[in-house]
Amino acid sequence: MQDSKGGAQPVPVPKARQSSRLRWLLASIVAGFIFSRVWLQIQTRDDYTLCSRTTSIYTVDETQPRVQCISVRDGRISAVGDEAGISRNWLLNLLDYPFGANRWRHIQQEHVIVPGLADAHAHLLQQGYKMQLQLDSAKSVQEVIERIKAYIIAHPDVHADRDRWIEGMGWDQTKWPGAEFPTAADLSSDPLLRGRPILLLRVDVHASWVSERVLEILGPLPSEVEGGSIIRDASGEPTGIFVDNAMTLIPTPPWTPEQYNDFFHTAVAEALKFGLTSVHDAATDPDAVQFFKTQAESGKLPIRLYLMVVPFSENFTDWHPSKIERLENYGLHERLNLRAVKLFTDGALGSWGAALITPYSDKPDTRGIMRSSPETMDQLIRSAWQAKLQVNVHCIGDRANEVVLDVFEKVLAEETRNGKLDISSFRPRIEHAQILQPSDLQRIGKLGVIASVQPTHGTSDMWYAETRLGPDRIKGAYAYRTLLEASPQKVLPLGSDFPVEGVNPLLGFYAAVSRLSVDGRSPHGDGGWFPSERLTRAQALKGMTLDAAYASFTEAELGSLTVGKRADFVVLDRDIMEVEASEILKTKVVATVIDGKVAYGHL
């Protein structure tokens, strides 16, 4: 058409066509919006499949012990198997990875994957505390003094304030010439130290070494301390060493909020660096519980914690287990749990505090220290049991283990008579289970009590343990293979007791499978100390994964790379299940993954 001036006239568009175009335009906008949202979600989600070139993923799942790939969706294991099998699930791939989005990753040829490693007995905040002034490699009193001097010089605020407490940890007199306890006078031998309040914890945290200034602050001391000992010289004067319950006499300054934060972040960084995804905190006081709750609530707990609460009264009169607040998958990321108590029966072998049935072979005037009497242990265990809390008891010596097993046996017998026994709902634990009579090595299994052990204690103590215990009693000590075989559930959770030992869980793995020191030695040669008590590598890996999960009631969620469980795993730079034992301690963590997200390293 043309208008009157000869110009072209616009052709009218039918209304139906205009409506169709509008609908198409609106649909395109909506589709584009949806596409962009989906694409953004794809690019930011943490779903992926991780594969090895061979079957280098150790699942600790007896139905599929080794696999090639694991898939992660929403922080959990969604598939386990070989690459071809997972790839064939085209519907899963189409829904999860449309438009060819690449979420397949491969680890390097020599790398392996294992479930997230757990430490079934450790002290997280105390690890950070120890790292401020470490003394565990000091080979003499003089070397300790030199380290304290270096610490003072490196901290001008400490140097300027002679009333500021100096605290450290890790000394071990068994490694020094003469193997004798040090004294407060030793800490006054240098002018830079003289007159300062100094508190140094022994490596096992069962003895304190203090300066003369601290003794002045303490003033008159009691002649005896129930469940503890004040070491005195020939004239009856205190030497500066306080053992077990006597340590509570020392007026140690409480930690500040800044110290809590520093100790926490320092320790967590160490744990993640070495592949730990879970820690059983084996003596958590109420202040520490509150600190951990705050971290969990604000999403600042990058590691899983299973807390064992300690009695917070010396005479236990105001300790009411029924009032303890339970925490189950607590916090923003559901990583905090509390359903256990920790009790102490005796001291440690290195400070002659482990309670023995007969006197020490190298110190016949003592049988060690019972920090809690049999009657008190009976009362404490029963009260926690009635509150339906897991009861975990520190027992080193054969006397301590006998006393606690007697209590457990009586309680379990009463439960049986009442027709309500379910040992799996309580899962009582003996922490350390270090020295037991042959009969008790079997009794702990028959009762279903879990032995929670630390393999590096054996390799640390092996140089003096037989001197302390004698040739017969030593045969029932550090008997890890025997304890595992006696367990009806075939469970032996492994830990380190850090900061008493190193944080790296592979130190414990190596000690468990070799029974050797880190330089390949033992009192029995390069075959290992009492080699019949070695664990296999499969048993050791299970001990620090699935067994630790069972000991904390989390085996349905953690401990193996099984479909439906949380995606906690570790990538290692070599195959700890097959390399020579001497190569195990050279292993480096490539990545520590919690809830499917990298917490340390990279994938």
Side-chain angles (χ1 to χ4, degrees), residues 73 105 172 206 260 262-263 338 390 482 521 581 600:
R73 176 191 284 183
R105 308 173 187 178
D172 183 354
H206 283 270
Y260 269 102
D262 288 347
F263 297 160
L338 190 166
Q390 184 187 42
T482 299
R521 298 182 303 121
Y600 170 83

Side-chain angles (χ1 to χ4, degrees), residues 245-266:
N245 288 358
M247 297 166 64
T248 62
L249 298 172
I250 302 167
T252 311
W255 292 349
T256 66
E258 292 75 20
Q259 286 178 305
Y260 269 102
N261 274 302
D262 288 347
F263 297 160
F264 172 72
H265 291 296
T266 299

Side-chain angles (χ1 to χ4, degrees), residues 141 157 159 229 552 567:
V141 169
D157 54 337
H159 191 288
S229 175
S552 57

Side-chain angles (χ1 to χ4, degrees), residues 4 16 45 58 96 113 119 121 200 265 285 302 314 351 388 452 485 508 512 528 585:
S4 60
R45 68 193 296 177
Y58 293 89
D96 281 353
I113 296 174
D119 193 310
H121 183 114
L200 307 175
H265 291 296
D285 63 39
E314 291 181 25
S351 51
K388 301 189 182 305
S452 171
E485 291 175 350
L585 294 181

